[in-house]
Amino acid sequence: GAGVSQSPSNKVTEKGKDVELRCDPISGHTALYWYRQSLGQGLEFLIYFQGNSAPDKSGLPSDRFSAERTGGSVSTLTIQRTQQEDSAVYLCASSPGRTNTEAFFGQGTRLTVV
Amino acid sequence: EDQVTQSPEALRLQEGESSSLNCSYTVSGLRGLFWYRQDPGKGPEFLFTLYSAGEEKEKERLKATLTKKESFLHITAPKPEDSATYLCAVRPYNFNKFYFGSGTKLNVKP
């Protein structure tokens, strides 16, 4: 079956522009995560969705970042008024649910803010 | 505070030279410890989950072990295709997120 799919693979944007990153999780997975990986850094948690529960937004670095998950499936991470420090690889992962805790990652979206 | 420390940061091995990677963790109640492999330009690839001290998992040349404070990823007779960054992560019981270490970059020379 298909894995986690992210689009676009690469995105170059000008400072101050808004960007949207998309994640299609593995079918049937109820949990979805967004992480950010900066050059030479570890993975930084951004947000977590579980079914229809309110998302855990505790990792979002500023109010320029937001995410939604429609119909319990596809998720979009939006970054408004992008800054150069937002340049990173944005990774999405999905997991079958609360008891099966492995998370499976997509290939990531490499965002470059110029 | 929940945290994960991996060592060494980088490891160079000759093909066939066995070694171990370390993952030390501090967590308020461990739901699971996870090992991932990440190749350049790709997302992390799931390898193992360990749930309790004393547990071991194996896959080909890799073997992961867990104690109450650390996990080891043992690589037996590595091949050049084992070259990658290996990431360790923990998930606490009371939190929804995974805490990742910074990884060990493994380079296996033929």
Side-chain angles (χ1 to χ4, degrees):
Chain A
V4 177
S5 178
Q6 293 188 244
S7 60
S9 298
N10 287 281
K11 176 73 176 178
V12 179
T13 189
E14 293 181 352
K15 179 181 174 181
K17 300 279 189 180
D18 298 351
V19 295
E20 286 189 351
L21 312 180
R22 178 187 169 101
C23 173
D24 283 276
I26 294 172
S27 178
H29 282 194
T30 59
L32 187 148
Y33 305 80
W34 283 98
Y35 276 80
R36 177 168 72 174
Q37 187 173 34
S38 302
L39 190 63
Q41 302 295 315
L43 276 73
E44 175 190 5
F45 169 78
L46 297 177
I47 190 169
Y48 164 79
F49 296 90
Q50 171 59 51
N52 295 320
S53 302
D56 177 351
K57 304 180 182 180
S58 60
L60 295 178
S62 76
D63 58 9
R64 297 186 295 105
F65 288 73
S66 63
E68 63 177 18
R69 189 178 184 191
T70 55
S73 182
V74 172
S75 178
T76 302
L77 177 69
T78 301
I79 308 173
Q80 296 179 312
R81 305 181 302 281
T82 52
Q83 304 294 313
Q84 288 188 330
E85 60 262 29
D86 299 334
S87 296
V89 176
Y90 289 82
L91 292 161
C92 175
S94 70
S95 178
R98 294 183 190 278
T99 57
N100 296 319
T101 57
E102 294 91 354
F104 299 90
F105 284 83
Q107 297 296 296
T109 293
R110 180 175 297 277
L111 175 67
T112 304
V113 182
V114 298
Chain B
E1 181 181 333
D2 300 326
Q3 62 180 17
V4 179
T5 303
Q6 290 188 247
S7 62
E9 290 185 7
L11 182 62
R12 298 181 68 176
L13 299 174
Q14 287 296 128
E15 184 171 4
E17 179 186 3
S18 301
S19 188
S20 298
L21 312 182
N22 178 263
C23 171
S24 298
Y25 65 92
T26 304
V27 66
S28 52
L30 180 69
R31 182 184 294 193
L33 183 140
F34 308 86
W35 282 98
Y36 287 86
R37 168 190 172 129
Q38 187 173 28
D39 292 294
K42 297 193 175 182
E45 174 190 351
F46 170 72
L47 293 174
F48 302 111
T49 305
L50 300 167
Y51 293 105
S52 57
E55 189 175 359
E56 300 182 351
K57 294 271 181 77
E58 287 190 67
K59 179 181 179 180
E60 296 180 354
R61 294 177 293 282
L62 301 177
K63 178 180 177 180
T65 62
L66 180 65
T67 72
K68 289 187 177 181
K69 294 184 177 181
E70 58 190 350
S71 176
F72 291 94
L73 184 65
H74 306 279
I75 303 177
T76 301
K79 298 181 177 181
E81 53 261 43
D82 294 322
S83 297
T85 296
Y86 290 85
L87 299 170
C88 172
V90 298
R91 186 173 182 185
Y93 268 111
N94 296 327
F95 293 94
N96 297 317
K97 60 185 175 182
F98 296 80
Y99 291 87
F100 280 84
S102 297
T104 294
K105 186 174 183 179
L106 175 65
N107 186 6
V108 182
K109 294 288 191 181

